[in-house]
Amino acid sequence: MRTIFVLFDSLNRTALGAYGSKAIPTPNFDRFAERAVTFDTHYVGSLPCMPARRDMQTGRLNFTHRPWGPLEPFDNSYAQILSAAGVYTHLISDHLHYFENGGWGYSQAFDSWEFIRGQEYDPLTVLTVPPVERIREAFDPRHYPTEAMEEGRTATRWTSPKDVWKRSRHAINKIDPWEDADYPTAKCFARAFEFLNRNSKSDDWFLQIECFDPHEPFDAPDKYKARFATGYEGPILDWPLYERCTNSAEEIAEIRANYAAVVAMCDDHFGRLLDWMDANEAWEDTALILTTDHGYLLGEHEWWAKNRMPYYEEISHIPLMVWRPDNGPKSGMRVSALTQTTDLMPTILGLHEVASPEESRAHSLLPLLKGRPSGRDTAILGMFGGPVCVTDGRYAYFRFPLTDDPSALPVYTLMPSHLEELFSVRDLATAELVEAFDFTKGAPMLRVTLSNKVGESGMNILANWNAGNVLYDLLSDPGQTTPIKAPEIEARLSIAITEHFEAHDAPQELYAHYGLTRAEGAIRVGR
């Protein structure tokens, strides 16, 4: 068996024709849906980027114990497990977070990997004295705030001087204009075809093609932008702040058009992969998986982006399509059963007839491809410290913490790192060794109390929401505009949250954080 796993970042389900979109033509994603099995009720697990990838690689939820961070020494990575079973694993990616402190270990789990430079704030072009003022003149000032604009507003990671500088990196990378082939997504697929052509006669390999697009900044070649021209003539709008949407209708349309252009670019490159599958008759012996890590708000619910609001359907309900060579008459089928990001791990292993480790808490998708149940009835999802959402596919229930005090929820890890920085010495001074969890293979853990609220922990969401717990009926209200009151449903879904916490051997502090009670006798000494 050979497997190609294509992972785009921030690819909205509602942007694909196969999921009902009419705003963005996606002929190649739709072409794949005609052959593959399309999952209609697929959800994220942990958010955002690297927590989602830890879920994928390990078959367990990240957010029950820690925020964004590296792969842990005891983690079961599907890349390492496949390699140990004789399946060669290779990663091609332009996802810059793999190469920051908080992304360590994920790419290194593969037998080999290639990194494409230049996405987001990755400094591909180095200017010691960059033309920052010229850049600011070209872009909307709300996306590249000046110090004067920051006066009197609450400081966030999106308006700090450091992040204003980071936002200028992409423009600096394009000081010398890019041709179509210079865009990182194009380079990812070019490298992928090199791998595929070189290894087209080989068996037992796993290739992960991982593109940062259509993640912001929303930048695509002019030929794609022309397809969605809005007539807007103002400063460039390609990177909304992670804040409430205060833009005009004209500006919202332009930002959405820029996102659409990047999606169209991704669709074109994915189509080239489908062409390769056709030309090499690879459908007979090669599995192909297409998905994303999470969605992205484009003004819906009066918000931009993610991380600072509840995990609405636009963020949490994501696309997934799977082709397995022996699908047979099941090609083009739709699966309505509830599935989740963690379920990719046992699925990928199962495609290569490799058993899942006992620490996995996921459900393989392979039975669903044959019309059988997977065993999943509910899924929980969230960010560390933020609200926990539970869904059964019909209802989505957000349970909010009782406090936004970061010291109330310690982090359990052996890899103490945030997105970019290592844990501070001040925070590490609080660390203590505690007994092993059931997934750490006997290794004790560090329990660390964070001194500050960090955006990656989900604590920022709490500052933007004062409505308390909320329940939505997704059947009658898929846009999540009108919460309902149904105590019996909330009670049932709260029990489901507790069951997932228990299955993941969550620490006692997590139950207390959400006002939940752990089952009698389930708490062990040290936690």
Side-chain angles (χ1 to χ4, degrees), residues 244-245 297 299-303 309 312-314 472 478-481:
R244 292 193 182 278
C245 176
L297 287 175
E300 301 90 347
H301 307 280
E302 300 182 347
W303 278 98
M309 71 296 292
Y312 292 112
E313 286 283 285
E314 292 87 351
Y472 295 101
Q480 294 174 298
T481 61

Side-chain angles (χ1 to χ4, degrees), residues 377-436:
D377 297 317
T378 59
I380 62 169
L381 52 106
M383 295 178 68
F384 181 82
V388 59
C389 177
V390 57
T391 182
D392 59 4
R394 166 69 185 273
Y395 298 99
Y397 175 54
F398 290 88
R399 191 176 182 102
F400 279 74
L402 302 182
T403 176
D404 64 352
D405 178 5
S407 66
L409 195 59
V411 174
Y412 289 88
T413 183
L414 289 179
M415 300 290 286
S417 178
H418 301 300
L419 166 60
E420 298 170 47
E421 298 87 8
L422 300 177
F423 280 20
S424 69
V425 174
R426 175 183 176 185
D427 287 347
L428 288 175
T430 71
E432 57 179 323
L433 272 179
V434 298
E435 68 174 78

Side-chain angles (χ1 to χ4, degrees), residues 70-92:
L71 204 66
E72 299 278 359
F74 46 76
D75 278 345
N76 299 303
S77 162
Y78 60 55
Q80 291 174 324
I81 294 171
L82 287 174
S83 179
V87 179
Y88 192 91
T89 60
H90 186 62
L91 170 69
I92 299 171

